[in-house]
Amino acid sequence: WGDNLEYGYIGAGQGPKYSEPLKKLKQGDAIFAYMKGNGYVGYGVVIESAKMLKDFLCDEGTSLLDVSLTAPNAHENKDDPRLSEWAVRVKWIKTFGPDDARTFKGIFANQNIVCKLRHAETLEFLKRQFGVKE
């Protein structure tokens, strides 16, 4: 999560099962980031669609693979579009640390990388917690 905040992205990869859903995110999409075992940690807006990690440039123009990432497998398969890590540029609007993640008993969460939130109670909770105005 620290990498995501510092460099303004959300990522997944090491196989199409994980990277393909990221490719559905488009500029202007609002997203909530969920950290398994903790809860929701971020609200942001997509500002650039998915790119292979090696092609994702940080604000200063450096490849994301040339900075000190804490993600353990980020460099694996960097030249293979099917297996590479992929990243979507996000402008994080409001975030929380893992120890301060937002959750409640019965909150909607699943293992999909990207999904449309339709659970009304979860949506209302997240809007309040992250200060989202419609």
Side-chain angles (χ1 to χ4, degrees):
W1 180 234
D3 291 343
N4 299 139
L5 291 178
E6 185 171 353
Y7 300 109
Y9 77 99
I10 196 81
Q14 304 306 317
K17 173 182 175 181
Y18 305 106
S19 60
E20 287 300 315
L22 281 182
K23 297 173 187 175
K24 295 177 183 177
L25 294 173
K26 303 293 180 226
Q27 186 176 10
D29 288 347
I31 66 168
F32 289 103
Y34 181 82
M35 182 177 281
K36 184 178 178 180
N38 295 72
Y40 286 88
V41 292
Y43 167 70
V45 176
V46 172
I47 55 176
E48 190 176 6
S49 58
K51 292 183 175 188
M52 289 174 61
L53 222 59
K54 71 175 188 169
D55 298 325
F56 186 98
L57 300 179
C58 301
D59 288 339
E60 67 277 359
T62 305
S63 168
L64 199 51
L65 290 179
D66 292 333
V67 298
S68 296
L69 296 175
T70 59
N73 301 323
H75 291 78
E76 289 183 19
N77 304 305
K78 66 181 182 180
D79 295 315
D80 184 339
R82 287 186 37 82
L83 298 177
S84 173
E85 288 286 318
W86 285 72
V88 172
R89 188 175 308 279
V90 175
K91 177 183 178 189
W92 294 113
I93 296 168
K94 186 165 185 177
T95 62
F96 297 98
D99 294 336
D100 198 25
R102 304 307 182 186
T103 191
F104 65 86
K105 186 175 175 68
I107 199 163
F108 174 84
N110 70 29
Q111 296 179 359
N112 293 326
I113 301 300
V114 174
C115 68
K116 182 157 180 80
L117 275 174
R118 299 178 195 274
H119 187 253
E121 188 177 4
T122 297
L123 280 170
E124 288 308 312
F125 174 81
L126 293 175
K127 286 177 186 177
R128 285 192 312 276
Q129 294 297 307
F130 288 92
V132 176
K133 309 279 190 273
E134 292 191 58

